[in-house]
Amino acid sequence: MAFIKDLYRDEIRSGWLVSSDVKKSWEKFLEMWQEIDRICRRYDINYWIYAGSLLGTARHKGFVPWDTDMDLCMMRPEYNIFCDAAEREMIREDGEFEIGCKKFNNFRISMSATTMLGTENLHERNPNTPYGMMIEIYPLDVAPDGTPDGNASVMKLLELLSSAGESGYSRIKERVKNNQGTYNEWKLLEKFHTLSEKAKQDFYNNYAAMLFEKSSAISWIEDRIKAPQKTYAKDWFRETIMMPFESVQMPAPVDYDKVLTALYGDWRKPYYDNTFRIGSVYSPDIPYREFLKTVDLEFMFPPEED
């Protein structure tokens, strides 16, 4: 049985034309979600629908018609457990699912039987990156809560993240030379910088989990600089409620209204930001490896002349 009603018929939702191709893509996202949900149930991991997907379930009881991706979130300690479990359970050679991305602060599950290319991927592609449709999973880490421990923990995590790259590490090293303080011990930052990429990932995940109880506030750590207003009280997630999303029920934080207000302000008013998030090129039917071998992207999308 399909997750999306009238899967092969175009329809109008909230004044927006939703094509059958978009609905077929929604179907693939929900097939991925079903596997993620299975793993979370098996390992007793709490997760919530998040960002634009949370907005969709609260305002549209499904996908936002013009925001065709899917986002989930977890508390950092359980996110770490999920990432390990997903690699064991989902990722098999020539299997249906792949790791689309595994970074310090997001994890993407990709479906190999589909295609999704953003504008930046049309002419420059990483041969080691899957280009199927993806669900993105965000860890929620410590955020400033006005207490010395909470505020300091956020700065420690941001500093560690900055020290992973060469430019950030050089800036911190220069501060140390000038007898300026660091939030972490310098020896810890030195050690972290010398680790392999995988070891850095493991170290950072464990460090973020260790700091997690230091604050009563949480956020996606990359929003600390770009969008500091996107901060949530842990208490908003104290209970999980089930909310309708297309033909299924999705877990949402009990205080989803407060989360959405922090994310979007007046979230009840529909707003389109000129970004169609499913990608410049997408297909719910064609595996991305086949697509990249057979489609002439130079012909379909000629590079812009300087």
Side-chain angles (χ1 to χ4, degrees):
M1 185 182 74
F3 290 111
I4 305 297
K5 295 178 181 177
D6 296 324
L7 186 60
Y8 296 100
R9 289 179 60 85
D10 295 355
E11 68 174 280
I12 307 296
R13 292 194 181 191
S14 301
W16 188 270
L17 174 63
V18 178
S19 71
S20 60
D21 274 351
V22 168
K23 292 167 77 173
K24 286 162 62 180
S25 300
W26 290 351
E27 183 77 9
K28 297 301 182 183
F29 285 118
L30 286 172
E31 288 175 14
M32 283 187 277
W33 161 78
Q34 186 176 47
E35 181 67 1
I36 291 168
D37 181 71
R38 181 191 69 79
I39 291 173
C40 288
R41 289 176 186 274
R42 177 172 182 178
Y43 290 88
D44 198 24
I45 295 169
N46 290 312
Y47 75 95
W48 300 273
I49 197 164
Y50 183 58
S53 301
L54 178 60
L55 179 64
T57 198
R59 197 173 66 199
H60 302 274
K61 294 183 171 56
F63 288 96
V64 175
W66 49 90
D67 187 13
T68 42
D69 60 1
M70 194 166 187
D71 301 313
L72 306 173
C73 70
M74 300 172 182
M75 301 297 183
R76 167 62 73 173
E78 292 184 299
Y79 170 86
N80 291 352
I81 295 170
F82 174 81
C83 291
D84 291 340
E87 289 188 270
R88 289 194 302 272
E89 297 245 351
M90 294 177 68
I91 313 306
R92 298 177 289 274
E93 187 175 355
D94 298 325
E96 186 177 7
F97 303 107
E98 300 175 288
I99 296 178
C101 173
K102 183 180 180 182
K103 295 183 178 179
F104 296 114
N105 296 311
N106 68 321
F107 188 91
R108 297 174 187 169
I109 300 297
S110 173
M111 181 174 274
S112 59
T114 65
T115 296
M116 183 171 67
L117 294 174
T119 304
E120 70 280 6
N121 307 129
L122 292 178
H123 303 293
E124 296 181 13
R125 295 184 296 277
N126 184 336
N128 298 317
T129 299
Y131 289 103
M133 293 176 177
M134 300 179 187
I135 288 182
E136 193 150 19
I137 302 164
Y138 298 91
L140 299 180
D141 284 312
V142 288
D145 65 352
T147 67
D149 269 359
N151 295 349
S153 295
V154 178
M155 298 310 297
K156 286 181 178 180
L157 197 55
L158 285 169
E159 184 179 68
L160 187 71
L161 184 62
S162 177
S163 71
E166 290 298 332
S167 60
Y169 180 74
S170 297
R171 287 194 299 270
I172 297 169
K173 190 173 182 180
E174 190 65 28
R175 289 209 313 265
V176 172
K177 285 183 179 179
N178 293 330
N179 295 317
Q180 295 174 310
T182 57
Y183 294 97
N184 297 282
E185 290 185 8
W186 172 239
K187 288 183 179 180
L188 182 147
L189 298 174
E190 277 189 308
K191 175 185 175 181
F192 178 71
H193 186 71
T194 62
L195 297 175
S196 67
E197 287 304 309
K198 183 182 184 308
K200 280 181 181 176
Q201 180 81 48
D202 293 341
F203 187 102
Y204 180 90
N205 287 353
N206 291 331
Y207 195 67
M210 181 189 72
L211 294 173
F212 187 74
E213 296 303 328
K214 299 288 187 181
S215 176
S216 62
I218 49 176
S219 69
W220 183 45
I221 195 69
E222 294 189 27
D223 280 335
R224 295 310 326 135
I225 296 172
K226 296 183 293 185
Q229 77 277 7
K230 296 180 180 180
T231 297
Y232 327 114
K234 282 182 181 176
D235 186 61
W236 298 351
F237 294 79
R238 69 190 177 277
E239 183 182 337
T240 298
I241 60 174
M242 303 305 292
M243 299 180 68
F245 189 93
E246 302 299 335
S247 64
V248 301
Q249 297 282 314
M250 284 286 175
V254 64
D255 286 332
Y256 67 88
D257 174 73
K258 294 178 180 178
V259 175
L260 286 172
T261 300
L263 281 166
Y264 302 110
D266 183 8
W267 60 269
R268 291 177 177 82
K269 181 179 180 181
Y271 170 75
Y272 177 57
D273 63 1
N274 278 333
T275 304
F276 191 59
R277 290 178 176 79
I278 205 164
S280 297
V281 179
Y282 69 97
S283 171
D285 302 316
I286 302 175
Y288 73 89
R289 291 184 179 89
E290 176 186 337
F291 186 94
L292 293 175
K293 285 180 181 177
T294 56
V295 170
D296 188 342
L297 288 173
E298 298 291 331
F299 180 70
M300 286 182 64
F301 299 93
E304 294 183 5
E305 296 182 1
D306 294 333

